[in-house]
Amino acid sequence: MRFLHTSDWHLGRSFHRVNLLDAQRAFLDHLVEAVRTHDVDAVLVAGDVYDRAVPPLAAVELFDDALHRLAELDVPTVMISGNHDSARRLGVGSGLMRRAGIHLRTDPAACATPVVLRDTHGEVALYGLPYLEPALVKEEFGAARADHAQVLGAAMDRVRGDLAGRPAGTRSVVLAHAFVTGGAPSDSERDITVGGVESVPASVFDGVDYAALGHLHGCQTITDRVRYSGSPLAYSFSEERHRKSMWLVDLDAAGAVTAERLDCPVPRALARLRGKLDDLLADPALAAHEEAWVEATLTDTARPHEPMARLAKRFPHVLSLAFEPEEGAARSLASYAQRLRGRSDQEIAEDFVAHVRTGRAVDEEERAVLRSAIDDVRAGDALGEVAR
């Protein structure tokens, strides 16, 4: 059986104020064509269909059009909600959509109820595990602690329990949205740290033939059977070197996996340039980046006059400008966003406490209080979304 594994569409997202709707439409055109060209038996979408819980109308219309086109191909689609999605909103109409072969898995309680497909070798059970916010699903899964490893492990125990009751030789696929140990993050994923821990071991997926993962935006192989497809488009300059693609996965009669990457359309290349303004404007080696979306970091000791306007004359698609002088107070001139880049909510909070106390770092008791407060806020936000 052949699957097309994709995730993290983030419909409705922009790139440094550039509207990406046309690029997202081009990707979905490419996906539909790939399904047709490669004789795909099922499409797997591992979460973060939308970029936010209440997406703009244009993004909803794009999603609706994609579902209609996939249904017309008579190829089943299995889709889970991610941490950016509103599970309840995404799941509206799932009963009706199921009749058209679109299987939306947004309810954690139903994670052990698979979509069952058949080929000449027998059945394949596809289990959809939506993003599991630990504070919200701890009771549902009887987890000892509200953390990702506990709730995802309990969900997978249910999956393995259901699989054990199926006919011998039943092959299995799991869709999940999580940060698995060994994965490489980028700047564009939302922090999902709970209790100071955000990742789960790949061994949590033991016992299934293939785990189609979402959340991390880089396409990567954790093991032969555990893979991230990555996002189809770049959503931050940290993804400059990503090769955006989908996995074309073949599952043979014995459950052995082979996978091939299918490249996604690139709307415009990314370039991260660094140096003094005059050098960036004159260096002939940078000609290849003149049509790229550019992030420029200037290292001039003194801030140049009208740097953005001058850069735009050579690089008309420059989107981001930062200053990191080679000499002197580089940190003080760095933008607030730069100083926070790559840091978790916990680290930011601890740094703030140390700053207002003139350098005295937090102790273990204070660190635990901050961690608890951050987890409570995240849980409160998630509960508020469920209530709306």
Side-chain angles (χ1 to χ4, degrees), residues 204-246:
V204 76
F205 299 107
D206 286 353
V208 297
D209 294 311
Y210 185 71
L213 301 183
H215 179 58
L216 299 184
H217 288 182
C219 180
Q220 48 202 297
T221 300
I222 305 301
T223 73
D224 285 345
R225 297 185 181 275
V226 180
R227 299 172 187 262
Y228 283 99
S229 65
S231 60
L233 298 171
Y235 292 118
S236 72
F237 277 103
S238 65
E239 300 167 60
E240 175 196 17
R241 299 188 183 279
H242 285 191
R243 173 188 164 195
K244 296 301 183 181
S245 57
M246 303 176 287

Side-chain angles (χ1 to χ4, degrees), residues 152-355:
L152 190 54
M156 282 301 302
D157 285 343
R158 290 190 184 183
V159 167
R160 284 185 283 264
D162 179 83
L163 190 58
R166 295 190 173 274
T170 299
R171 291 156 291 163
S172 56
V173 173
V174 166
L175 288 77
H177 197 85
F179 189 165
V180 174
T181 303
S186 64
D187 291 344
S188 54
E189 298 112 6
R190 184 179 295 168
D191 179 25
I192 59 170
T193 303
V194 174
V197 179
E198 61 184 350
S199 65
V200 299
S203 60
V204 76
F205 299 107
D206 286 353
V208 297
D209 294 311
Y210 185 71
L213 301 183
H215 179 58
L216 299 184
H217 288 182
C219 180
Q220 48 202 297
T221 300
I222 305 301
T223 73
D224 285 345
R225 297 185 181 275
V226 180
R227 299 172 187 262
Y228 283 99
S229 65
S231 60
L233 298 171
Y235 292 118
S236 72
F237 277 103
S238 65
E239 300 167 60
E240 175 196 17
R241 299 188 183 279
H242 285 191
R243 173 188 164 195
K244 296 301 183 181
S245 57
M246 303 176 287
W247 285 113
L248 188 66
V249 179
D250 285 307
L251 200 62
D252 74 8
V257 173
T258 56
E260 174 190 354
R261 290 178 70 176
L262 301 182
D263 290 332
C264 295
V266 178
R268 193 177 295 278
L270 305 184
R272 304 179 94 171
L273 309 183
R274 182 183 182 88
K276 294 181 178 180
L277 177 59
D278 288 343
D279 293 339
L280 297 183
L281 295 177
D283 187 349
L286 301 182
H289 304 305
E290 290 177 355
E291 294 303 316
W293 280 324
V294 169
E295 176 190 72
T297 300
L298 301 185
T299 60
D300 300 76
T301 303
R303 186 178 296 240
H305 178 64
E306 295 186 340
M308 195 66 162
R310 293 168 65 188
L311 278 168
K313 289 182 178 179
R314 183 179 188 187
F315 306 103
H317 304 288
V318 60
L319 299 178
S320 177
L321 180 62
F323 297 92
E324 293 184 10
E326 290 178 341
E327 305 169 12
R331 182 171 177 82
S332 66
L333 291 177
S335 72
Y336 181 68
Q338 284 178 282
R339 296 199 300 271
L340 299 188
R341 182 178 294 161
R343 302 184 68 75
S344 68
D345 294 340
Q346 178 81 18
E347 291 170 326
I348 293 167
E350 291 180 15
D351 284 353
F352 174 77
V353 172
H355 172 73

